[in-house]
């Protein structure tokens, strides 16, 4: 399993993003996240472009675990990528 | 300033009149409504809490709640993208609670919702389908007629295609 911390691209307003963060916490997994809606100007554009590079979309949550990119809160896919 | 509860009261009234129902899981419903309320206050319009807003109302016109994609998603998946609106099958667990696909085209996220002159039916472009409620005469231009007529509450079967050409 990849040792890098999982990265979550989220919206502060999104119910599915909240559920994803809750899931990571419940599993005791430390993760990084960006609430993209809280960013402004250039920074927001850069993160949007990064997301499009990763998955072709700007959907939330986008979850990066090692080389795996998961778009949407699919618990089974996240478990598999985390080796849970 | 209007409260989340005040906002929801108004939404409930319309939903009841039009035959829509909300997510019955209180915790999720509260989160969704809070997200919608946050968007309403920071952008000045209630864009979908699960989609990234541009902050420009014209570009986000299709994702202001209820979004343009709600009815089609309710028919196909039993819920809208953020799961604010759900149907009986979804509540009963007959439909998956996994995330549903995004119906909004990716280019709208990049360029915004098309202006009126770029839409179907504008200028010499192909006309959108128009449906007429045979009970009250209500007309709507969209892919499918609504499940219930928003004016007289007649059912979908009472709509017919209406020639505009």
């Amino acid at each position: 399993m990849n040792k890098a911390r999982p990265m979550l691209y989220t919206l502060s307003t999104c119910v599915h993003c909240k559920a994803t963060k809750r899931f990571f916490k419940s599993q005791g997994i430390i993760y990084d996240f960006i609430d993209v809606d809280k960013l402004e100007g250039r920074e927001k554009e850069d993160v949007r472009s990064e997301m499009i590079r990763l998955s072709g979309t700007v959907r939330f949550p986008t979850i990066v675990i090692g080389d795996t990119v998961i778009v949407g809160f699919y618990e089974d896919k996240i478990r598999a990528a985390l080796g849970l | 300033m209007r409260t989340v509860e005040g906002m929801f009261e108004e939404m409930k009234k319309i939903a009841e009149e039009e035959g829509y129902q909300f997510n019955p899981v209180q915790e999720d419903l509260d989160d969704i409504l809070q997200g919608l309320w946050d968007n309403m206050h920071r952008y000045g319009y209630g864009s979908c809490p699960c989609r990234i807003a541009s902050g420009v109302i014209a570009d986000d016109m299709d994702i202001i709640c209820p979004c343009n994609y709600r009815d089609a998603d309710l028919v196909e998946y039993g819920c809208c993208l953020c799961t604010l609106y759900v149907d009986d099958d979804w509540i009963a667990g007959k439909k998956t609670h996994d995330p549903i696909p995004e119906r909004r085209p990716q280019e709208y996220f990049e360029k915004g919702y098309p202006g009126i002159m770029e839409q179907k039916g504008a200028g010499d472009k192909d006309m959108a389908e128009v449906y007429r409620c045979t009970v009250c005469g209500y007309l709507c231009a969209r892919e499918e007629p609504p499940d219930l007529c928003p004016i007289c509450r007649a059912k979908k079967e009472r709509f017919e295609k209406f020639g505009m050409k």
Side-chain angles (χ1 to χ4, degrees), chain B residues 10-138:
Chain B
E10 282 173 33
M11 292 167 68
K12 262 206 306 221
K13 230 174 92 191
I14 297 168
E16 271 163 27
E17 279 169 14
E18 297 189 353
Y20 290 97
Q21 49 188 330
F22 294 101
N23 193 319
V25 182
Q26 193 62 48
E27 193 190 18
D28 291 344
L29 179 63
D30 288 344
D31 277 347
I32 297 165
L33 292 173
Q34 183 63 52
L36 187 58
W37 191 91
D38 288 348
N39 279 350
M40 228 172 236
H41 285 79
R42 61 181 169 172
Y43 301 126
Y45 54 91
S47 68
C48 174
C50 290
R51 293 178 166 114
I52 189 148
S54 68
V56 178
I57 188 166
D59 288 343
D60 293 342
M61 207 54 98
D62 58 325
I63 52 169
I64 295 175
C65 184
C67 66
N68 288 15
Y69 313 102
R70 175 187 62 176
D71 289 3
D73 282 341
L74 276 171
V75 169
E76 193 166 349
Y77 306 110
C79 64
C80 67
L81 186 85
C82 73
T83 68
L84 173 60
Y85 293 97
V86 297
D87 72 6
D88 289 329
D89 284 349
W90 191 92
I91 293 171
K94 289 183 201 154
K95 285 188 170 150
T96 175
H97 287 201
D98 273 345
I100 66 167
E102 173 62 271
R103 199 175 289 274
R104 187 187 205 216
Q106 173 64 19
E107 60 171 297
Y108 292 7
F109 283 105
E110 293 169 33
K111 294 181 194 150
Y113 187 59
I116 190 78
M117 288 314 287
E118 276 105 60
Q119 292 179 24
K120 269 189 178 173
D124 55 1
K125 290 193 176 62
D126 271 354
M127 194 59 205
E129 207 64 74
V130 174
Y131 293 92
R132 175 179 176 273
C133 173
T134 54
V135 178
C136 74
Y138 166 75

Side-chain angles (χ1 to χ4, degrees), chain A residues 1-2 5-9 24 54-55 62-71 74 76-83:
Chain A
M1 192 188 130
N2 195 300
R5 274 192 201 175
M7 177 68 194
L8 275 50
Y9 296 86
F24 274 80
L54 284 165
S55 71
T62 291
I63 301 141
V64 182
I65 302 169
D67 296 330
T68 310
V69 180
I70 300 163
V71 180
Y74 290 96
D76 51 343
K77 290 187 193 172
I78 297 172
R79 281 184 184 278
L82 290 168

Side-chain angles (χ1 to χ4, degrees), chain A residues 34-52:
Chain A
I34 308 178
D35 278 337
V36 183
D37 58 316
K38 299 272 191 193
L39 303 177
E40 303 220 352
R42 190 58 209 254
E43 206 181 358
K44 189 174 188 177
E45 279 315 305
D46 287 349
V47 173
R48 283 174 56 114
S49 309
E50 197 175 300
M51 289 180 71
I52 292 172

